[in-house]
């Protein structure tokens, strides 16, 4: 199964080196400063989870990386290069609301970008897509339209769609928040699998603390646009130092 | 004098049906033109360059706010003085298509705005090129939503085709008028023309309403 999943490590990337770097990144919406000179890095192959109260700027970070927003100040480097449309191809994203293309069948949702962005042949793209859809447990739904699937199934298609681009970094923004409770586990299991069996880098926003504990190498606690505490999951969940972290964790549990 | 003469009705019917074909042809070609041009306007009105947006916006507003009949006369009588001459039917098709394209542009705009922003974001996250995003993601969803609205403009255009009689196109109304002028009986041909319009327009509008229900999620 691991062969279906991205392993891409470009020559210029040294294993364990920095893949994502935020340097004094500031983002404002009107008068409110959402991110204030934020610094953080994510190393190659690591799984980093962002936690923190709603409105603390977690989604903003992912959207900046995806170039859906531009910073007002500071800079973002990915694999040592300033973020632009070309560098963005190293990044994949899964959204809270899935955002599958409803006018395309499942298979084409997954082949569309590999064919038209990476230049894969139709056959190569179909083969890659089938492998990934198999992996997320939807090998039997290739010809379905997204609206014929449950939310959990749609989200798993969205994961396959992102992975089909062989990104180096996968951004996950509360990917189970829009799901009915009984569908959450299926999606998280797929992500656990990917985290365990590939060397893809993950930057993950989630309120699923057990999941965060399982997959994370590092957890960043956010509050008011700043990292107030970071460390391995055992430390953040087991012995948080910051009062705000303790409050937040007891509130979500 | 009889109030309704069936044999005279039978006599004028072939000419009226020939006129109906012209009417349908004008509607079909006018619609194709309106669909294509409207899409061009809608996309042009979204370009970031205001040197495209403003002139297109001005032209669209101008056309939308002048009567179709005036436009037809302009195309038919004024353009030839500049050396541009088309057949009456072609002139009519251009007039209808141009006029209605300003309405279909608005329909497309609403359809495009109705595509959720998440679709654009997903396309960006996959690095789909702009062109591909429009062709494969946005327009198929936008157009699906607006098929009934476009259909309603086709019906409206169909009912506007008698105006082409004013520029000598031998549509249904013109045929009826000529038949009437020949025999001094207008009742039958004009009534039949009205009935034919109803017979076509009403079922079509019912179809559009059904389509609207089916597509409206
Ligand atoms: N497009 C936007 N326009 C204005 N304000 C925004 C926009 N996006 C986010 N915000 C504001 O920025 C803050 C951080 O938002 P977000 O990054 O979504 O937080 P989180 O994901 O941690 O809940 C919130 O106060 C939110 O209201
Ligand atoms: Mg968020």
């Amino acid at each position: 199964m691991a062969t279906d999943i991205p392993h891409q490590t470009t020559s210029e990337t040294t294993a364990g080196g920095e893949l994502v770097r935020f340097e004094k990144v500031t983002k404002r919406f009107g008068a409110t400063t959402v991110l204030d000179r934020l610094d953080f890095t994510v190393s190659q192959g690591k799984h980093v989870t962002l936690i923190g109260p709603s409105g603390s700027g977690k989604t903003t970070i992912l959207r900046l990386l995806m170039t859906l927003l531009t910073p007002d100040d500071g800079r973002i480097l990915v694999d040592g290069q300033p973020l632009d449309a070309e560098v963005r191809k190293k990044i994949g994203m899964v959204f809270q609301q899935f955002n599958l293309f409803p006018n395309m069948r499942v298979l084409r949702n997954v082949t569309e970008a590999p064919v038209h962005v990476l230049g894969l042949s139709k056959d190569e793209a179909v083969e890659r897509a089938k492998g990934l859809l198999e992996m997320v447990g939807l090998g039997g739904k290739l010809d379905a339209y997204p609206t014929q699937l449950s939310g959990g199934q749609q989200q798993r298609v969205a994961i396959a769609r992102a992975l089909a681009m062989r990104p180096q970094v996968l951004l996950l923004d509360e990917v189970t928040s829009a799901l009915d409770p009984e569908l959450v586990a299926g999606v998280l299991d797929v992500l656990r699998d990917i985290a365990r069996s590939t060397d893809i880098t993950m930057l993950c926003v989630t309120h699923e603390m057990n999941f965060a504990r399982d997959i994370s190498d590092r957890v960043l606690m956010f509050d008011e646009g700043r990292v107030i505490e970071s460390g391995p999951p055992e430390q953040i969940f087991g012995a948080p130092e910051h009062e705000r972290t303790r409050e937040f964790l007891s509130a979500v549990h | 004098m009889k109030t309704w003469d069936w044999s005279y009705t039978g006599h004028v019917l072939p000419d009226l049906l020939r006129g109906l074909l012209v009417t349908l042809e004008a509607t079909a070609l006018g619609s194709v033109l309106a669909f294509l041009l409207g899409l061009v306007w809608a996309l042009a009105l979204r370009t970031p360059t205001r040197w495209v947006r403003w002139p297109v916006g001005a032209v669209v507003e101008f056309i939308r706010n002048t009567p179709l009949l005036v436009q037809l006369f302009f195309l038919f009588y004024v353009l030839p003085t500049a050396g541009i001459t088309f057949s009456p039917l072609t002139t009519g098709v251009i007039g209808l298509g141009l006029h209605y394209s300003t309405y279909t542009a608005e329909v497309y705009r609403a359809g495009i705005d109705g595509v959720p922003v998440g679709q654009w974001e997903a396309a960006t996250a996959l690095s789909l090129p702009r062109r591909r995003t429009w062709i494969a993601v946005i327009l198929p969803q936008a157009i699906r939503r607006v098929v009934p609205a476009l259909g309603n403009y086709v019906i409206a255009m169909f009912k506007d085709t008698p105006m082409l009689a004013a520029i000598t196109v031998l549509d249904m109304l013109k045929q009826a008028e000529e038949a009437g002028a020949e025999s001094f009986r207008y009742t039958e041909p004009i009534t039949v023309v009205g009935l034919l319009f109803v017979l076509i327009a009403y079922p079509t509008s019912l179809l559009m309403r059904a389509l609207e229900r089916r597509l409206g999620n």
Side-chain angles (χ1 to χ4, degrees):
Chain A
M1 173 166 77
T3 52
D4 291 333
I5 318 173
H7 289 278
Q8 210 175 48
T9 311
T10 56
S11 48
E12 71 262 34
T13 311
T14 43
E18 280 170 16
L19 193 51
V20 175
R21 182 180 191 85
F22 274 57
E23 278 180 7
K24 300 204 165 40
V25 172
T26 297
K27 181 66 194 173
R28 298 183 199 92
F29 291 114
T32 51
T33 303
V34 176
L35 301 179
D36 186 13
R37 283 165 292 164
L38 175 69
D39 286 306
F40 81 95
T41 61
V42 180
S43 299
Q44 176 77 34
K46 297 294 183 201
H47 309 143
V48 173
T49 300
L50 307 177
I51 61 170
S54 179
S56 59
K58 306 179 298 293
T59 294
T60 301
I61 291 173
L62 300 191
R63 292 172 65 82
L64 283 164
L65 261 170
M66 205 69 257
T67 70
L68 295 171
L69 295 172
T70 42
D72 293 303
D73 211 348
R75 55 178 201 154
I76 301 171
L77 301 176
V78 173
D79 212 2
Q81 294 160 291
L83 194 53
D84 61 18
E86 201 49 39
V87 172
R88 181 184 58 202
K89 291 181 184 163
K90 301 179 179 191
I91 309 171
M93 182 160 183
V94 181
F95 299 87
Q96 192 174 336
Q97 298 294 340
F98 334 135
N99 297 346
L100 292 180
F101 302 132
N103 56 314
M104 300 180 194
R105 293 175 198 275
V106 163
L107 184 65
R108 197 166 142 229
N109 262 279
V110 184
T111 58
E112 177 67 20
V115 169
H116 291 280
V117 180
L118 302 181
L120 260 60
S121 75
K122 184 109 191 295
D123 289 346
E124 290 171 306
V126 166
E127 196 184 334
R128 184 184 288 189
K130 281 181 174 169
L132 287 163
L133 287 165
E134 198 71 48
M135 180 195 76
V136 300
L138 292 171
K141 297 284 186 189
L142 305 182
D143 291 326
Y145 280 98
T147 48
Q148 298 168 321
L149 302 181
S150 74
Q153 290 173 325
Q154 289 189 54
Q155 193 59 298
R156 285 183 277 146
V157 174
I159 292 168
R161 180 176 71 172
L163 292 179
M165 293 296 284
R166 303 251 166 106
Q168 294 187 32
V169 197
L170 187 61
L171 309 181
L172 303 164
D173 191 7
E174 297 196 36
V175 297
T176 56
S177 305
L179 299 179
D180 291 335
E182 73 273 18
L183 302 175
V184 169
V187 172
L188 294 183
D189 284 347
V190 164
L191 291 173
R192 278 195 186 89
D193 248 11
I194 293 165
R196 200 179 317 123
S197 61
T198 74
D199 57 8
I200 196 168
T201 307
M202 285 184 174
L203 186 54
C204 177
V205 174
T206 186
H207 290 301
E208 297 288 337
M209 293 305 156
N210 288 327
F211 171 72
R213 197 193 308 256
D214 290 351
I215 66 143
S216 304
D217 297 297
R218 201 151 57 93
V219 178
L220 306 183
M221 170 69 196
F222 256 80
D223 196 26
E224 293 172 349
R226 292 179 312 114
V227 180
I228 58 169
E229 185 167 359
S230 81
E234 307 78 52
Q235 179 194 320
I236 301 292
F237 296 121
E241 284 170 8
H242 211 285
E243 178 56 33
R244 285 291 291 142
T245 313
R246 279 197 289 273
E247 277 171 22
F248 172 72
L249 289 175
S250 64
V252 294
H253 270 297
Chain B
M1 203 172 177
K2 283 188 284 182
T3 48
W4 186 270
D5 183 341
W6 281 108
S7 86
Y8 174 57
T9 308
H11 175 71
V12 296
L13 197 58
D15 280 343
L16 295 182
L17 290 178
R18 213 165 311 135
L20 175 62
L21 282 185
V22 173
T23 294
L24 290 175
E25 190 184 350
T27 308
L29 295 175
S31 300
V32 170
L33 190 61
F35 292 165
L36 294 175
L37 268 183
L39 187 56
V40 172
W41 304 148
L43 295 178
L45 289 170
R46 286 185 173 258
T47 53
T49 13
R50 63 183 120 112
W51 300 116
V52 175
R53 253 183 5 243
W54 287 356
V56 170
V59 168
V60 166
E61 284 303 325
F62 182 80
I63 296 175
R64 195 180 358 227
N65 289 295
T66 37
L68 174 57
L69 194 54
V70 174
Q71 290 162 11
L72 290 171
F73 275 20
F74 185 88
L75 293 171
F76 193 67
Y77 292 113
V78 182
L79 278 194
T81 66
I84 306 168
T85 326
F86 299 110
S87 74
L89 181 60
T90 306
T91 307
V93 165
I94 294 172
L96 287 170
L98 200 59
H99 188 76
Y100 275 91
S101 71
T102 63
Y103 294 102
T104 57
E106 187 58 29
V107 169
Y108 286 124
R109 187 196 61 73
I112 292 165
D113 286 348
V115 177
V117 66
Q119 294 291 304
W120 291 98
E121 296 181 353
T124 302
L126 293 166
S127 291
L128 276 188
R130 203 81 184 151
R131 227 182 114 79
R132 190 69 204 162
T133 303
W134 276 106
I135 293 172
V137 179
I138 304 301
L139 287 180
Q141 294 181 50
I143 290 171
R144 190 187 142 88
R145 286 161 187 273
V146 302
V147 165
L150 291 178
N152 287 331
Y153 277 117
V154 172
I155 297 169
M157 185 190 287
F158 175 62
K159 291 188 291 178
D160 268 354
T161 49
M163 278 193 220
L164 302 197
I167 57 166
T168 76
V169 174
L170 279 172
D171 77 318
M172 257 198 296
L173 186 65
K174 190 78 182 165
Q175 292 280 10
E177 196 194 356
E178 295 202 339
E182 221 168 81
S183 55
F184 305 105
R185 278 197 71 98
Y186 287 93
T187 313
E188 291 83 355
I190 301 289
T191 308
V192 171
V193 166
L195 282 175
L196 286 172
F197 269 107
V198 171
L199 279 176
I200 293 173
Y202 186 59
T204 313
S205 71
L206 288 184
L207 187 76
M208 288 308 141
R209 234 175 286 170
L211 202 61
E212 211 159 346
R213 267 197 306 273
R214 256 201 63 193
L215 294 181
N217 317 304

